[in-house]
Amino acid sequence: MSLLELKNINAFYGGIHALKNINIEVNKGEIVTLIGSNGAGKSTTLKSISGQLTPKSGQIIFDGKDITLQPPHITALNGVAHVPEGRRIFSKLSVKENLEMGAFSVSDKKIVKERMERSFHYFPKLKERLEQKGGTMSGGEQQMLAIARALMMQPQLLLLDEPSMGLAPVIVEQIFDIIKELNDEGMTILLVEQNAYQALQIANRGYVIQNGEIILEGPGMELIENDQIKDAYLA
């Protein structure tokens, strides 16, 4: 069953046509990955979904509702959590305060605490760093905090933008293991990732975007074997 549909989405940055008739579908319980080179339109696609960028035309349907023109905070309240490229944690706030910001819409402190404990299941290091300022943590720990903050919303759909960027290989492995674990437990994930091989390995399906257009789509393992993908992204 489809949880998210992008129908003929066109988006612009000033006079630059960033997305050109983008069509993407994400079914409940899937990991879908969007791969492509720098500037291809990957992050723009996620920003359009979460409401940070308003498309010029087309429709974004989430859980049966048209959210194309919806403000970002309403989309978040409706169940879409966006972990942006570059992590964007609150560097001057503590780990605990960052996590509390993720549960901004929850007034019940008991529920906030329960969600925090659930985040520690995936990221136990964060429990050891509760009072530490986010900006003083390593890149890997900041990425963990960014994902944990998103999980505090208990989203239906998790948008992940370049979660492996700038991280050591051992940390990348940990992050991808957690993404897979979240999905195994029922989380629907749309993953933007330059590490195409790693992304396609865990994805049910993938889309390839080039110059703002979807040029290829298919099952993750099928795309890994595609000669065009091998030459462009896996060489």
Side-chain angles (χ1 to χ4, degrees):
M1 182 180 174
S2 177
L3 180 64
L4 175 74
E5 286 183 88
L6 276 65
K7 300 180 178 181
N8 297 312
I9 290 296
N10 286 273
F12 290 77
Y13 287 118
I16 299 170
H17 196 172
L19 298 180
K20 304 164 186 172
N21 294 312
I22 293 289
N23 289 281
I24 289 175
E25 185 174 3
V26 181
N27 296 315
K28 284 186 179 179
E30 281 190 314
I31 296 178
V32 173
T33 189
L34 182 62
I35 63 172
S37 58
N38 279 333
K42 304 186 303 296
S43 295
T44 304
T45 300
L46 295 195
K47 288 177 181 177
S48 297
I49 295 166
S50 63
Q52 295 177 43
L53 180 68
T54 303
K56 189 80 170 177
S57 63
Q59 273 189 309
I60 299 172
I61 308 296
F62 174 69
D63 201 21
K65 300 173 186 173
D66 189 334
I67 63 167
T68 314
L69 304 178
Q70 199 165 255
H73 70 284
I74 301 297
T75 297
L77 288 172
N78 287 347
V80 179
H82 186 179
V83 181
E85 180 182 355
R87 304 182 261 282
R88 306 284 180 86
I89 62 163
F90 299 103
S91 60
K92 294 183 179 180
L93 298 184
S94 69
V95 167
K96 183 182 179 184
E97 289 167 334
N98 268 275
L99 293 174
E100 288 171 343
M101 290 294 286
F104 71 94
S105 64
V106 182
S107 56
D108 190 323
K109 290 184 179 180
K110 183 182 176 184
I111 293 174
V112 173
K113 188 176 180 181
E114 286 170 355
R115 291 186 184 182
M116 209 174 283
E117 287 299 326
R118 182 171 178 263
S119 294
F120 298 149
H121 164 73
Y122 302 108
F123 306 105
K125 273 192 176 182
L126 297 181
K127 193 168 188 177
E128 303 166 13
R129 306 273 201 277
L130 265 186
E131 301 306 323
Q132 186 173 339
K133 294 283 191 288
T136 66
M137 300 168 72
S138 70
E141 289 167 344
Q142 288 185 25
Q143 185 63 70
M144 292 174 185
L145 178 56
I147 297 173
R149 182 180 62 189
L151 295 179
M152 291 291 291
M153 296 167 55
Q154 287 203 333
Q156 292 187 67
L157 175 66
L158 184 61
L159 307 177
L160 292 174
D161 195 348
E162 303 285 9
S164 75
M165 182 179 284
L167 303 184
V170 64
I171 303 298
V172 172
E173 289 288 343
Q174 290 177 22
I175 295 291
F176 272 84
D177 284 346
I178 290 163
I179 292 170
K180 189 69 174 65
E181 183 180 353
L182 287 167
N183 179 250
D184 288 342
E185 294 174 358
M187 179 75 68
T188 306
I189 298 168
L190 178 56
L191 170 66
V192 158
E193 182 56 58
Q194 278 197 314
N195 189 333
Y197 182 76
Q198 202 136 17
L200 290 170
Q201 273 195 315
I202 67 168
N204 299 96
R205 295 183 300 109
Y207 292 85
V208 183
I209 187 168
Q210 184 176 299
N211 298 322
E213 297 180 272
I214 300 295
I215 61 166
L216 206 58
E217 63 180 274
M221 296 310 294
E222 221 173 80
L223 290 176
I224 285 178
E225 297 302 322
N226 183 288
D227 289 337
Q228 186 180 350
I229 300 300
K230 285 181 179 178
D231 291 343
Y233 305 106
L234 307 179

